[in-house]
């Protein structure tokens, strides 16, 4: 059975274990996520190809890994050498639309290719000039001078509106989910195009900083902790890693509660989105996907945020699929990766897209696909983000144990074992069946497994041509400021 439309949703930074716990504790009558899991297919062993937004979305869009698509911390742009999923659907006659709440996922970094319409929720009025963070760029008279300088670049009136909205109004209620759904509802109500559509949405809410609505947070906060107390808990990932911010077990318990509340809030918004599709008569003819670009460390392995490591806290992502042949059968427990989604969605809609399929490193897991199951999954972290220089600028002198993160990492994981290999010569080996939390490094005691996985990783790397992106990637000052607001130091 093929579907006519595709709605692909990314819950930015959503851990698989937290989403699974939320679904298990809710009911289909009260939780749209639980209802989706009951009616559709849950992929229990889905993994990202990279632990942070830009390279992971690039893999999702192109069905290739960072070594092939070339977008990572060392080159922060998805260049035009790889076809995107939006281009594949556009070539097949689809209307293609995206709504992004994450600054990385924008035209500035190469992600708008193939979309007929690309909405950036940090702008109240969609313009090429980006002034969303204009009031944060400087202090005092310097702020005024910088604002006036940018105000007249393009349409001064629209720029002023975007500046006010980006600084003072956008995050009054949430990180964009409400406005996203309002935009989608209006788009569906006013749509006269009879083509099938491919719709991509990035919801940002689970991302640091965790600021869920008070009524959602109070449901999960521990003990006598008030919402006001919770908002005072430090959320400075880089200060924590560098040892300039102290966190205790209670602090992390609070942060985990806030994170869970963010998921619960998005669950509500997901139900709202589904109702809009149902009211428009599009739900039954749509393949509807909910996943994440990566997970999150909330004190796990000594980290906050989603950088500097390749543990499953960052790589194991939720994946729920409904429609287009995906039904309420048993959950999928074979290994799946985000690059597999592109070929799978093409199969679910009956789209050929030969150019896209030819570049794809992913393999379809559609129920009618003839592709063989994966023997292993791979993840890449090709450069630290933030760099040691950017981190030092933010926090001051770095302890020696932090400087060890100045490296690239690759990981390979089969059904039983996982190897993490660093450019500095470091190795870690985990028996993930017995040690799913990756606490006991067995690299010194299992040389046979080490050699096998090491060889498999080398053979995988040798199986395709590596990307060699050249040239620096410039970004607007306002973009840099918004990324810093998200915790990305440039």
């Amino acid at each position: 059975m093929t579907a006519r439309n595709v709605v692909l949703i990314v819950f930015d930074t959503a851990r698989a274990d937290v989403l699974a716990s939320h679904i298990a504790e809710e009911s289909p009558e009260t939780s749209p996520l639980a209802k989706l899991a009951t009616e559709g297919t849950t992929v229990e062993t889905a993994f990202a190809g990279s632990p942070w937004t830009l390279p992971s979305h690039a893999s999702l869009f192109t069905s290739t890994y960072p070594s092939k698509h070339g977008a990572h911390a060392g080159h922060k742009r998805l260049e035009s050498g790889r076809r995107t999923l939006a281009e594949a659907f556009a070539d097949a006659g689809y209307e293609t639309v995206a709504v992004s709440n994450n600054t990385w996922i924008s035209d500035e970094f190469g992600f708008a290719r193939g979309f007929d319409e690309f909405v950036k929720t940090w702008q109240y009025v969609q313009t090429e000039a980006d002034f969303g963070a204009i009031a944060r760029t400087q202090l005092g008279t310097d702020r005024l001078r910088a604002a006036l300088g940018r105000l007249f670049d393009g349409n001064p009136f629209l720029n002023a509106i975007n500046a006010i909205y980006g600084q003072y109004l956008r995050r009054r209620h949430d990180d964009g989910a409400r406005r996203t759904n309002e935009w989608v509802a209006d788009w569906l109500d006013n749509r006269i195009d009879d083509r099938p559509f491919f719709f991509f949405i990035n919801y940002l809410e689970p991302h640091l900083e965790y600021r869920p609505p008070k009524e959602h947070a109070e449901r999960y906060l521990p003990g006598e902790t008030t919402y006001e107390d919770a908002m005072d808990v430090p959320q400075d990932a880089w200060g924590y890693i560098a040892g300039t911010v102290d966190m205790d077990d209670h602090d992390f318990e609070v942060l985990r509660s806030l994170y869970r509340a963010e998921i619960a809030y998005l669950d509500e918004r997901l139900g709202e989105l589904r109702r809009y599709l149902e009211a428009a008569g599009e739900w039954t003819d749509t393949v509807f996907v909910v996943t994440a670009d990566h997970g999150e460390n909330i004190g796990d392995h000594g980290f906050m945020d989603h950088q500097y490591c390749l543990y499953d806290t960052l790589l194991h992502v939720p994946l729920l699929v409904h429609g287009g042949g995906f039904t309420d059968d048993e959950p999928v427990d074979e290994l799946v990766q985000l690059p597999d989604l592109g070929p799978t969605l093409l199969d679910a809609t009956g789209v050929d897209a030969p150019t896209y399929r030819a570049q794809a490193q992913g393999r379809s897991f559609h129920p009618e696909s003839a592709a063989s199951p994966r023997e292993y999954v791979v993840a890449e972290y090709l450069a630290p983000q933030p760099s040691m220089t950017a981190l030092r600028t933010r926090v001051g002198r770095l302890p020696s144990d932090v400087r060890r993160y100045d490296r690239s990492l690759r990981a390979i994981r089969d059904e039983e074992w996982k190897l993490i290999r660093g450019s500095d010569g470091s190795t870690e080996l985990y028996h993930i069946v017995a040690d799913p939390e990756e606490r006991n490094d067995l690299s010194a005691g299992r040389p046979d497994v080490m050699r096998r996985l090491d060889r498999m990783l080398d053979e995988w790397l040798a199986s395709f041509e590596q990307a060699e992106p050249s040239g620096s990637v410039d970004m607007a000052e306002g973009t840099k400021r918004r990324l810093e607001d998200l915790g990305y130091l440039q």
Side-chain angles (χ1 to χ4, degrees):
M1 176 184 177
T2 58
R4 184 170 184 267
N5 309 312
V6 174
V7 175
L8 174 56
I9 297 170
V10 168
F11 281 10
D12 203 298
T13 321
R15 284 172 57 149
D17 58 349
V18 176
L19 204 77
S21 295
H22 172 79
I23 290 173
E25 294 171 10
E26 300 292 332
S27 71
E29 288 72 31
T30 59
S31 164
L33 276 169
K35 184 177 182 180
L36 187 69
T38 299
E39 297 176 344
T41 299
T42 300
V43 180
E44 296 182 334
T45 46
F47 295 88
S50 189
W52 69 285
T53 298
L54 182 139
S56 186
H57 274 81
S59 292
L60 175 63
F61 278 26
T62 66
S63 188
T64 63
Y65 292 85
S67 283
K68 187 170 182 176
H69 62 60
H72 50 78
H75 185 81
K76 297 172 182 174
R77 180 177 175 81
L78 177 61
E79 300 293 356
S80 58
R82 304 296 172 195
R83 299 290 287 172
T84 68
L85 191 56
E87 289 175 311
F89 277 112
D91 290 345
Y94 274 62
E95 184 178 9
T96 54
V97 183
V99 181
S100 174
N101 291 278
N102 190 317
T103 306
W104 285 119
I105 312 306
S106 67
D107 47 354
E108 191 164 2
F109 298 107
F111 288 97
R113 292 202 317 274
F115 286 105
D116 298 323
E117 192 160 8
F118 196 102
V119 178
K120 299 172 284 190
T121 63
W122 54 91
Q123 290 187 338
Y124 187 75
V125 181
Q126 300 297 299
T127 66
E128 291 186 6
D130 200 340
F131 291 81
I134 198 168
R136 293 193 293 275
T137 58
Q138 302 289 341
L139 297 175
T141 57
D142 289 337
R143 171 186 288 179
L144 178 62
R145 193 177 301 114
L148 290 174
R150 273 183 254 156
L151 191 64
F152 293 97
D153 182 7
N155 185 313
F157 177 70
L158 297 183
N159 291 342
I161 290 175
N162 281 338
I164 294 169
Y165 178 75
Q167 172 64 15
Y168 300 110
L169 301 177
R170 182 195 175 207
R171 298 184 66 179
R172 177 171 292 181
H173 302 295
D174 61 15
D175 273 333
R178 174 178 293 183
R179 187 182 177 205
T180 293
N181 284 5
E182 290 171 351
W183 192 93
V184 174
D186 184 67
W187 180 81
L188 288 168
D189 285 343
N190 293 286
R191 184 171 182 261
I192 57 175
D193 199 319
D194 61 358
R195 291 179 295 168
F197 58 79
F198 169 68
F199 209 127
F200 169 78
I201 297 174
N202 171 290
Y203 287 120
L204 187 60
E205 268 67 20
H207 199 290
L208 274 173
E209 293 181 346
Y210 315 135
R211 303 286 179 186
K214 183 177 181 180
E215 62 270 22
H216 290 77
E218 289 178 339
R219 179 181 173 189
Y220 300 101
L221 287 174
E224 301 299 318
T225 304
T226 66
Y227 183 74
E228 290 70 28
D229 292 338
M231 291 299 100
D232 287 336
V233 172
Q235 298 196 35
D236 181 359
W238 312 127
Y240 170 70
I241 290 173
T244 62
V245 173
D246 292 327
M247 305 281 291
D248 58 26
D249 290 344
H250 177 72
D251 291 333
F252 284 119
E253 185 181 9
V254 170
L255 293 186
R256 284 189 289 270
S257 299
L258 294 176
Y259 181 83
R260 173 66 186 279
E262 294 271 34
I263 297 294
Y265 174 68
L266 268 191
D267 192 3
E268 285 188 6
R269 291 298 178 196
L270 187 75
E272 184 178 63
L273 179 67
R274 176 171 176 167
R275 290 193 295 274
Y276 293 150
L277 288 166
E278 290 173 337
E282 300 287 2
W283 174 257
T284 58
D285 205 15
T286 294
V287 56
F288 189 86
V289 181
V290 175
T291 189
D293 52 345
H294 54 77
E296 183 82 316
N297 282 315
I298 313 175
D300 310 86
H301 304 286
F303 292 104
M304 289 176 64
D305 201 76
H306 40 272
Q307 302 289 346
Y308 300 146
C309 68
L310 288 177
Y311 300 116
D312 281 0
T313 47
L314 302 191
L315 299 179
H316 190 195
V317 293
L319 180 53
L320 306 173
V321 190
H322 179 278
F326 290 95
T327 61
D328 57 353
D329 293 334
E330 292 296 316
V332 174
D333 60 0
E334 66 185 53
L335 294 172
V336 169
Q337 290 216 260
L338 291 186
D340 299 334
L341 262 174
T344 303
L345 292 175
L346 295 177
D347 284 352
T349 52
V351 172
D352 289 334
T355 303
Y356 183 90
R357 289 182 188 269
Q359 81 181 17
Q361 292 178 289
R363 61 186 69 186
S364 174
F365 59 90
H366 189 271
E368 297 179 4
S369 172
S372 57
R374 284 182 168 275
E375 296 179 23
Y376 57 82
V377 295
V378 175
E380 298 187 297
Y381 185 67
L382 296 185
Q385 168 62 37
S387 67
M388 295 301 104
T389 299
L391 187 58
R392 189 182 305 112
T393 300
R394 169 69 175 265
V395 302
R397 183 176 179 272
L398 297 179
S400 58
D401 64 331
V402 173
R403 290 196 294 272
R404 74 180 188 272
Y405 302 139
D406 192 12
R407 61 185 180 180
S408 63
L409 296 169
R410 286 190 172 96
I412 185 167
R413 182 193 199 277
D414 62 17
E415 297 280 4
E416 187 175 4
W417 295 91
K418 178 177 176 181
L419 168 69
I420 303 173
R421 190 171 76 184
S423 60
D424 57 353
S426 62
T427 57
E428 299 173 62
L429 179 69
Y430 298 99
H431 188 214
I432 50 179
V433 174
D435 180 25
E437 295 183 348
E438 298 167 281
R439 297 182 181 274
N440 302 307
D441 179 8
L442 302 177
S443 57
R446 292 301 305 266
D448 55 331
V449 179
M450 290 283 293
R451 284 192 298 268
R452 179 176 64 84
L453 293 178
D454 204 48
R455 183 180 65 254
M456 289 168 60
L457 184 54
D458 285 340
E459 290 174 350
W460 176 79
L461 282 167
S463 69
F464 61 94
E465 185 177 352
Q466 315 292 302
E468 296 183 0
S470 61
S472 61
V473 177
D474 296 326
M475 63 182 80
E477 187 64 26
T479 299
K480 291 182 181 179
R481 298 295 179 180
R482 273 196 314 280
L483 290 173
E484 288 172 4
D485 281 351
L486 293 177
Y488 294 100
L489 307 181
Q490 305 305 312

